[in-house]
Amino acid sequence: MNNKKVISLWPYLLILAILAVLVSYGTGNNTTTFNYNEFMNKAEKLDFDKVEMSMGSTVIDVSGTYKQGKESKSFKVSVPNTETNVKWLTETLSKNKDTVLTTRDPNQESFLMKFFINVFPYLLLAGIAIFFFTKMNSGGSNKAFEFSKSKARIEGNIKVRFKDVAGCDEEKEEVKEIIDYLKDPKKFTDMGARIPKGMLMVGPPGTGKTLLAKAVAGEANVPFFSISGSDFVEMFVGTGASRVRDMFKKAQQTAPCIVFIDEIDAVGRQRGAGMGGGNDEREQTLNQLLVEMDGMGENKGIVIIAATNRPDVLDPALLRSGRFDRQITVNLPDKKGRYEILKVHARNKKLAPDCSLESLAKRTPGFSGADLENVLNEGAILAVRDKRKMITMEDLDEAIDRVMMGPAKKSRKYTDKEKRLVAFHEAGHAVIGIKLEDADMVEKVTIIPRGEAGGYNLMTPREEKMMPTKADFMAQITGLMGGRVAEEVVFDEISAGASNDIQKATKIAKAMVRSWGMSSLGPIQYDDGTGNVFLGRDYGSGSNYSGEIAYEIDKEIRKIINECYERAKQIITEHIDLLTLIADTLIEEETITSEQINNLVKYGTITSPEDALKKQAMANDVEQQIQADNEAAQEVLHDDIQHYDDTPSSQDEEKKKQEKVSFEEAMKELTKSDDYDETKE
């Protein structure tokens, strides 16, 4: 570490040493400069050693050394060039025989020689200093002269295509003209058409706005400039505007191209809307962006694509015609779009045969493209963690829960009372979802803690609607009240577990009254409809209704909540047996699926009779197979025992061998006797 510090400091040390030498050279020069009169008075008394006279046209430059005691000192003087002075100097300087006198004609010296002698050493030192300073600045982060340069990253040969962007077919249709224009602009100019200079992509985070912009560049095969809105603004005044100019200059040099500005709301917010008048530096940057877009000209081969999820805070001048002409809304995908997105992200995943992407798309309403990619990635991580070769449906099911609610906290232990309370709370949501026609369907219920929630109830819409009705919202609020109602009906007390349910229900009720006109107050909007608060614009702005109307709004919100609460209480009371059955099953199983819940409703058990018969048949087949295997094993064992019994022992074998030897010996003796010959005949 110390060596690196020394290496980084040595250029500074070298420069300081050079400066010290120059200073010491300048201050250590003991040359005495005489004026003309002074030299005339002292010349007779000086003992000259070496003297040089440079004969100019009007002046004689005399320089050299003289002795003063034991020291030798330098001197120089300028004497008018007259015949008398030349004679006097020659006599005076030559009076001592040891003096070396040299006469030089300055006209004989070349200009180049003078330059090298007098100027070049200083230029050389200055060049060395500049070189070292440049090296030090370029090697580190002290790029003081590059603040005005654009930070846009240029990418060529983009590999992303429309096939990599799923779930936004209508959005891709909107940008096809841009691709045709970048490929062949002549057919547009011949028709007199002006291609949009800018396109603004609006949508929730993670819906694929940046990916779609890259796909446009990939399909058109043009360079892709990408920059964030926050990259324009720095602490130095004027930096943002200069970076905008530099970015458009580079874009013009590489046209046709696409310039993509992500999170443009960071620099394109309404001017004059900040606290105390706004940020002047940001507004200057926005002004420069507007000017550059106006000065870009028509059909110049440059298309500006910007993305934001806060279009309500953008300056109106940015959205007028001639700048960002076209606004494309990239919404959350529907069921079909989610299925297509899952297929794109599953191309490099090893999925088990039981994995159904269509079922996964059905269970993930409200998920963005980024969320769906995260689900598949979490499933792959879980499969690797459990050392499996393929991703199973159980991994994906767990991945959905992790993305929505966080990992399961199995280490957190309930008391028996808390476990029963949570089970009935979640069962209350499930009963409302089962028995209320317009309520969301129950997909999964668990009492395993996740995140801040003690339990988790996954409910999905029966069908995804573009325009939900009042009945849909009322059913949704009723379903949210189901858990709290179940606690009150069964335990005659309430817990804090319903806080999130109450928050969601109140938000829906407020929107019904203030925004959608679904109350007795009539079709009147009592909020500004701007969504998130923009402090620079909304801070300090009063409500657009009176205090009396505010009281009526509160009454209507309370009326909606109370009505849904009573409806949920009626349903829970009528189906208390189903509530108890689901809760007891949750206490035992901890997690039940929609299929098991349906079996509880129809048959009272988590398995249907058909499934029970199938399981019994499978068990019988297994038992019969085991019995057959046992019988076969017994037969094999019996045969082995019989074979062992039939096999002669080693003693019998030895006895037979002895009997055989005795018989052979008897036959030999018989063949030698006379009786054998007679018998043979």
Side-chain angles (χ1 to χ4, degrees), residues 10-11 14-15 123-139:
W10 76 266
L14 181 60
I15 294 173
L123 293 179
L124 180 61
L125 292 175
I128 293 174
I130 294 173
F131 172 76
F132 281 125
F133 276 117
T134 304
K135 280 291 183 181
M136 287 184 289
N137 286 331
S138 63

Side-chain angles (χ1 to χ4, degrees), residues 556-616:
E556 289 297 323
I557 293 173
R558 189 181 300 110
K559 178 181 176 182
I560 291 174
I561 297 295
N562 291 337
E563 182 179 343
C564 294
Y565 192 88
E566 293 300 326
R567 190 177 185 186
K569 192 171 185 178
Q570 178 184 358
I571 295 173
I572 293 293
T573 305
E574 291 176 356
H575 302 89
I576 190 69
D577 294 337
L578 178 60
L579 176 74
T580 304
L581 178 61
I582 295 176
D584 292 340
T585 306
L586 275 173
I587 293 173
E588 182 179 355
E589 300 291 335
E590 291 190 340
T591 301
I592 54 178
T593 62
S594 59
E595 183 180 358
Q596 293 172 332
I597 292 174
N598 292 333
N599 292 335
L600 287 173
V601 175
K602 293 180 181 179
Y603 312 111
T605 60
I606 59 175
T607 55
S608 63
E610 293 82 2
D611 294 338
L613 290 175
K614 290 179 181 178
K615 289 183 179 179
Q616 186 62 40

Side-chain angles (χ1 to χ4, degrees), residues 311-336:
D312 57 298
V313 304
L314 295 180
D315 193 277
L318 199 63
L319 304 178
R320 75 158 175 81
S321 299
R323 287 171 181 154
F324 283 97
D325 303 84
R326 185 173 296 180
Q327 184 169 324
I328 301 175
T329 302
V330 186
N331 283 321
L332 294 171
D334 55 7
K335 178 183 174 182
K336 180 183 176 182

Side-chain angles (χ1 to χ4, degrees), residues 312-587:
D312 57 298
V313 304
L314 295 180
D315 193 277
L318 199 63
L319 304 178
R320 75 158 175 81
S321 299
R323 287 171 181 154
F324 283 97
D325 303 84
R326 185 173 296 180
Q327 184 169 324
I328 301 175
T329 302
V330 186
N331 283 321
L332 294 171
D334 55 7
K335 178 183 174 182
K336 180 183 176 182
R338 292 194 298 273
Y339 175 63
E340 296 296 329
I341 293 173
L342 287 170
K343 286 201 301 184
V344 170
H345 292 299
R347 290 183 297 195
N348 63 337
K349 304 288 191 303
K350 296 180 180 179
L351 300 178
D354 67 330
C355 290
S356 172
L357 296 181
E358 189 171 359
S359 175
L360 198 64
K362 182 180 178 182
R363 295 180 54 190
T364 52
F367 276 48
S368 65
D371 294 332
L372 295 172
E373 190 275 335
N374 195 20
V375 167
L376 291 177
N377 186 62
E378 287 288 344
I381 292 174
L382 291 172
V384 173
R385 180 183 299 175
D386 295 337
K387 298 180 180 180
R388 285 189 292 272
K389 299 296 184 183
M390 305 185 79
I391 305 172
T392 63
M393 198 64 189
E394 293 181 359
D395 296 329
L396 298 178
D397 181 70
E398 174 65 19
I400 294 175
D401 296 341
R402 292 172 71 90
V403 171
M404 293 185 67
M405 302 292 295
K409 298 184 178 180
K410 297 182 180 180
S411 61
R412 183 189 296 177
K413 299 297 182 183
Y414 286 126
T415 63
D416 293 339
K417 183 179 179 180
E418 288 177 332
K419 189 173 185 180
R420 185 172 175 81
L421 182 66
V422 173
F424 273 93
H425 180 100
E426 300 302 332
H429 291 302
V431 170
I432 300 297
I434 294 169
K435 295 301 180 180
L436 188 59
E437 182 179 356
D438 296 326
D440 294 341
M441 296 173 56
V442 181
E443 292 290 342
K444 180 182 179 181
V445 184
T446 180
I447 59 173
I448 299 175
R450 286 184 182 273
E452 297 297 328
Y456 171 48
N457 200 317
L458 177 61
M459 303 180 72
T460 59
R462 299 179 188 274
E463 57 180 354
E464 298 183 28
K465 298 181 179 179
M466 290 288 295
M467 300 179 64
T469 62
K470 180 179 179 181
D472 295 327
F473 291 121
M474 295 291 286
Q476 192 173 354
I477 296 175
T478 304
L480 291 170
M481 294 290 106
R484 181 184 174 94
V485 169
E487 294 177 13
E488 182 181 353
V489 170
V490 176
F491 301 100
D492 196 22
E493 63 178 354
I494 55 178
S495 70
S499 61
N500 190 39
D501 299 331
I502 295 173
Q503 180 182 0
K504 292 179 180 178
T506 305
K507 184 178 180 181
I508 296 172
K510 282 184 176 180
M512 290 174 65
V513 176
R514 299 175 59 189
S515 300
W516 303 324
M518 295 180 179
S519 69
S520 60
L521 295 179
I524 302 175
Q525 189 179 39
Y526 291 105
D527 64 353
D528 52 13
T530 55
N532 295 328
V533 174
F534 178 30
L535 290 180
R537 178 193 60 209
D538 302 328
Y539 179 78
S541 61
S543 60
N544 53 359
Y545 48 83
S546 64
E548 183 180 354
I549 293 298
Y551 173 71
E552 294 294 331
I553 290 174
D554 293 339
K555 285 178 59 178
E556 289 297 323
I557 293 173
R558 189 181 300 110
K559 178 181 176 182
I560 291 174
I561 297 295
N562 291 337
E563 182 179 343
C564 294
Y565 192 88
E566 293 300 326
R567 190 177 185 186
K569 192 171 185 178
Q570 178 184 358
I571 295 173
I572 293 293
T573 305
E574 291 176 356
H575 302 89
I576 190 69
D577 294 337
L578 178 60
L579 176 74
T580 304
L581 178 61
I582 295 176
D584 292 340
T585 306
L586 275 173
I587 293 173

